């Protein structure tokens, strides 16, 4: 039961955290009056870590589908 709960709640909570981080980046851009280009750069640079995590999950899923064991 605990493993099933962990398997479901972890992606949901990480997704919620990512949405909250997007809200923080947007608020940072708005309070600093960054403009369109500055806002875009904030999302690109600060969102790169979130994008890296998404790539990690996608690559891990793809490797599992191919039958390659990951540790």
């Amino acid at each position: 039961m605990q493993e099933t709960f962990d398997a479901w709640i972890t992606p949901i909570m990480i997704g919620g955290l990512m949405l909250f981080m997007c809200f923080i980046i947007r608020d940072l851009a708005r309070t600093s009056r960054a403009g369109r280009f500055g806002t875009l750069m904030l999302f690109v640079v600060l969102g790169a870590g979130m994008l890296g995590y998404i790539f990690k999950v996608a690559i891990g899923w793809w490797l599992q589908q191919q039958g390659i064991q990951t540790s």
Side-chain angles (χ1 to χ4, degrees), residues 18-35 38-44 46-47 50:
M18 287 181 169
L19 288 174
F20 184 61
M21 289 171 68
C22 287
F23 169 76
I24 291 172
I25 294 170
R26 185 189 64 86
D27 188 53
L28 177 65
R30 193 173 52 152
T31 57
S32 67
R33 298 181 182 163
T39 302
L40 177 67
M41 287 298 106
L42 281 170
F43 271 101
V44 167
L46 296 176
M50 291 187 287

